[in-house]
Amino acid sequence: MDPEAIILSIEALRLSQETGISPSSALYLVAKKKRYTIKELRMARKILHTYSIYRRSASRYLENIISESMIDWVSKTILELISSCIIGGIDFGDITVLVSKLRQSMGKNWPEELEKHLGVLRLIHLRPMVEVNYPKWFTRYLEKIMGKMDAEYYLDFQDRVNPPMYASLNTLKMDEEKILKLAEERNIVLREDNRIPGIYLVEVSNTKALKDLMNQGLIAIHDFSSYYAVKILKPKPNEFVLDVCSAPGTKTWLTALEMKNRGVIVSIDSSWKRIKSQVKRMNFLNVRIVEVIQADATKPLPIRLEVDKVIVDPPCSSTGLIWREPFYRWIIKPRHIRMFSNLQSKILQNSSRHVKQGGYLIYSTCSITIEENEHVIEDFLRINPNFELVEPSLNIGSHGLRNLAEARRLYPHTDMCNGFFIALLIRRY
Ligand SMILES: C[S@@+](CC[C@H](N)C(=O)[O-])C[C@H]1O[C@@H](n2cnc3c(N)ncnc32)[C@H](O)[C@@H]1O
């Protein structure tokens, strides 16, 4: 094992602690400033991913042996990082060899204090590990909504199984057959997901070749759930679509694909920075039918339009993203769920004013909490009797909770995609 990956990870963790950003985003920033090989970067990513999952187990193990006051930040971080990776099954080979390489590479930054604690790394296999890899409130929450057995399976599954990579072909730039041929020539295996035509599972042996097709805008990676939401809405050519909370534009692009670049999509987002990157991305992907507006959707929208279809994809607590970003489990708190639920209700209410009679609205979040999903929809239907929840024509996932059978929930362990909620609503009058 190359010590550079561990050093890169320590620097990313330091930045993450200082700024509050996730370790994977911090790694991206740290790596921009340092020379590293692709292998080192990949390994650092794997180390931080594993650390995010098992750091609580590691610190419980260490706190029984080393008291917090006896140890400095770097020593503690090195011990936690290596311990969590050992618990998570990363094979570092001989720990003594690894430590000696690390000592050499870090030079004067190597904390002398660490020397007297190194024995704990060799003993870690001998201690039974406590299963503490999720905050208690989250485990209890899941048990409440899906039962103890299913919750346990879900939590274990998302830490064990690598999330698949899904992609769609950008037929706004090139014919499907031609893109598939280019992919085949580059040994990129695209296996069509038989649940929905048009979404592919990417099996890459050659990441450079995949990047090459992505850099040409011929393939874009996104989660299964985003495509499912758009497919349920069924946008058609020449329709008028309002896309609220649109940036960075994944659903906008997927909608434009369905509309064959004909019709109009009005995209609204409150962040000017994100809108600007959405515009750039839409130009790059050859989406020609989008008009963007910066607006805060918790207030009445600055448009006078009634449209065929509305997409509402508001910010959420991201509890459904933990298998892709394991660190989220430590930063999401119950108070965030309450805060988002409030915001989501306002955004849904304001967006719904622009659905024409007989038109449809899709509400989705990448969170699996009831407060951000079923509660928002129930409250909305109570004050908007002119809307009705409808059964999607594509039946994937499980039914919504609290008798919202027409809504859909997706979970990593049952649907191999992000945890997700979708509700399709029609405006009857
Ligand atoms: C889940 S992301 C949207 C993802 C996007 N629909 C896609 O498919 O790529 C949520 C978006 O909501 C935006 N947002 C947050 N608060 C908002 C508000 N009050 N009004 C409008 N947009 C908001 C964020 O800037 C962010 O881009």
Side-chain angles (χ1 to χ4, degrees):
M1 148 68 74
D2 194 332
E4 287 311 314
I6 297 185
I7 297 173
L8 209 51
S9 309
I10 296 168
E11 288 178 22
L13 281 179
R14 189 189 286 282
L15 183 65
S16 160
Q17 271 206 355
E18 281 168 7
T19 57
I21 59 177
S22 73
S24 52
S25 311
L27 177 65
Y28 173 75
L29 296 176
V30 167
K32 263 184 22 184
K33 291 192 201 139
K34 265 195 90 156
R35 286 170 73 88
Y36 59 87
T37 63
I38 293 289
K39 200 171 147 217
E40 284 160 1
L41 183 62
R42 266 202 210 130
M43 192 62 205
R45 243 190 242 132
K46 188 169 170 190
I47 289 173
L48 289 173
H49 187 90
T50 313
Y51 167 80
S52 296
I53 297 173
Y54 296 104
R55 65 177 209 166
R56 176 84 69 84
S57 287
S59 70
R60 286 276 166 91
Y61 164 66
L62 294 168
E63 79 194 7
N64 286 332
I65 307 172
I66 305 163
S67 111
E68 179 99 7
S69 57
M70 278 163 56
I71 191 159
D72 64 286
W73 187 86
V74 181
S75 305
K76 181 168 173 276
T77 304
I78 293 176
L79 288 178
E80 274 187 5
L81 207 61
I82 298 180
S83 306
S84 50
C85 289
I86 295 174
I87 297 168
I90 293 186
D91 183 7
F92 285 132
D94 186 331
I95 291 295
T96 315
V97 175
L98 173 74
V99 167
S100 120
K101 283 188 187 167
L102 207 50
R103 192 185 285 121
Q104 208 178 5
S105 289
M106 288 181 73
K108 60 179 180 4
N109 293 326
W110 173 258
E112 277 305 314
E113 196 197 343
L114 188 53
E115 295 292 346
K116 58 180 184 260
H117 302 300
L118 288 173
V120 298
L121 294 179
R122 278 178 232 112
L123 294 177
I124 195 159
H125 291 298
L126 305 179
R127 291 184 64 89
M129 279 308 133
V130 204
E131 276 312 319
V132 285
N133 300 324
Y134 284 88
K136 248 197 196 118
W137 75 265
F138 189 64
T139 313
R140 292 217 177 107
Y141 193 98
L142 275 194
E143 285 176 4
K144 205 176 79 188
I145 65 170
M146 56 176 65
K148 196 169 166 49
M149 257 172 68
D150 212 14
E152 265 172 23
Y153 180 54
Y154 178 170
L155 296 175
D156 176 58
F157 180 91
Q158 66 175 2
D159 285 346
R160 236 179 342 98
V161 175
N162 277 337
M165 205 193 281
Y166 292 99
S168 293
L169 311 183
N170 191 4
T171 48
L172 304 180
K173 275 207 155 172
M174 194 185 268
D175 287 347
E176 190 177 334
E177 294 75 36
K178 284 191 188 152
I179 304 176
L180 288 173
K181 191 157 178 280
L182 284 179
E184 197 184 331
E185 283 165 7
R186 286 163 172 73
N187 288 330
I188 301 167
V189 181
L190 295 175
R191 209 157 35 81
E192 195 158 19
D193 187 309
N194 54 22
R195 293 174 291 177
I196 310 180
I199 182 159
Y200 293 83
L201 272 160
V202 190
E203 287 163 22
V204 204
S205 48
N206 186 346
T207 21
K208 201 169 160 291
L210 176 68
K211 277 227 170 94
D212 182 38
L213 288 194
M214 287 168 66
N215 288 339
Q216 293 178 53
L218 299 177
I219 284 185
I221 305 292
H222 53 80
D223 190 58
F224 177 86
S225 51
S226 300
Y227 206 22
Y228 183 39
V230 170
K231 282 286 184 182
I232 285 181
L233 186 64
K234 290 197 197 151
K236 295 188 188 66
N238 301 318
E239 281 189 336
F240 203 156
V241 176
L242 174 64
D243 179 14
V244 184
C245 299
S246 61
T250 300
K251 290 184 194 69
T252 322
W253 169 61
L254 293 169
T255 302
L257 278 183
E258 297 296 306
M259 294 168 73
K260 304 196 181 341
N261 241 348
R262 298 206 305 270
V264 179
I265 303 173
V266 174
S267 275
I268 292 185
D269 200 282
S270 60
S271 158
W272 181 233
K273 194 170 159 211
R274 286 171 70 90
I275 288 181
K276 279 199 292 190
S277 66
Q278 180 182 349
V279 169
K280 237 167 114 182
R281 189 169 175 220
M282 293 306 106
N283 286 336
F284 170 67
L285 293 170
N286 210 17
V287 175
R288 298 277 172 249
I289 55 171
V290 181
E291 300 296 335
V292 295
I293 296 174
Q294 182 198 7
D296 176 357
T298 59
K299 306 201 172 97
L301 303 182
I303 48 170
R304 285 200 195 168
L305 299 168
E306 284 202 340
V307 303
D308 301 297
K309 284 166 188 166
V310 174
I311 300 170
V312 183
D313 192 25
C316 69
S317 65
S318 306
T319 49
L321 295 184
I322 290 175
W323 80 324
R324 291 197 191 269
E325 201 31 287
F327 190 69
Y328 281 178
R329 76 191 71 193
W330 307 115
I331 49 178
I332 304 166
K333 305 275 183 268
R335 70 186 141 83
H336 298 140
I337 294 170
R338 289 191 293 275
M339 187 268 287
F340 278 119
S341 172
N342 201 359
L343 192 82
Q344 289 150 349
S345 284
K346 287 185 187 154
I347 292 178
L348 175 59
Q349 185 59 41
N350 289 324
S351 309
S352 72
R353 300 214 164 95
H354 301 278
V355 183
K356 73 175 194 191
Q357 192 177 345
Y360 288 88
L361 180 151
I362 194 117
Y363 173 87
S364 63
T365 73
C366 54
S367 176
I368 51 158
T369 68
I370 295 176
E371 291 83 344
E372 295 173 271
N373 298 312
E374 282 85 353
H375 282 179
V376 171
I377 297 298
E378 282 169 351
D379 290 348
F380 175 78
L381 290 174
R382 204 171 302 124
I383 47 179
N384 297 278
N386 55 336
F387 277 85
E388 198 179 292
L389 194 57
V390 284
E391 184 82 26
S393 51
L394 272 166
N395 189 12
I396 297 170
S398 31
H399 296 289
L401 302 173
R402 294 177 59 86
N403 293 329
L404 295 192
E406 296 88 351
R408 286 293 177 275
R409 284 182 157 254
L410 301 173
Y411 298 114
H413 66 306
T414 47
D415 306 296
M416 280 308 265
C417 63
N418 295 343
F420 206 71
F421 175 88
I422 312 175
L424 177 66
L425 302 160
I426 184 169
R427 185 184 146 197
R428 289 283 183 213
Y429 56 90

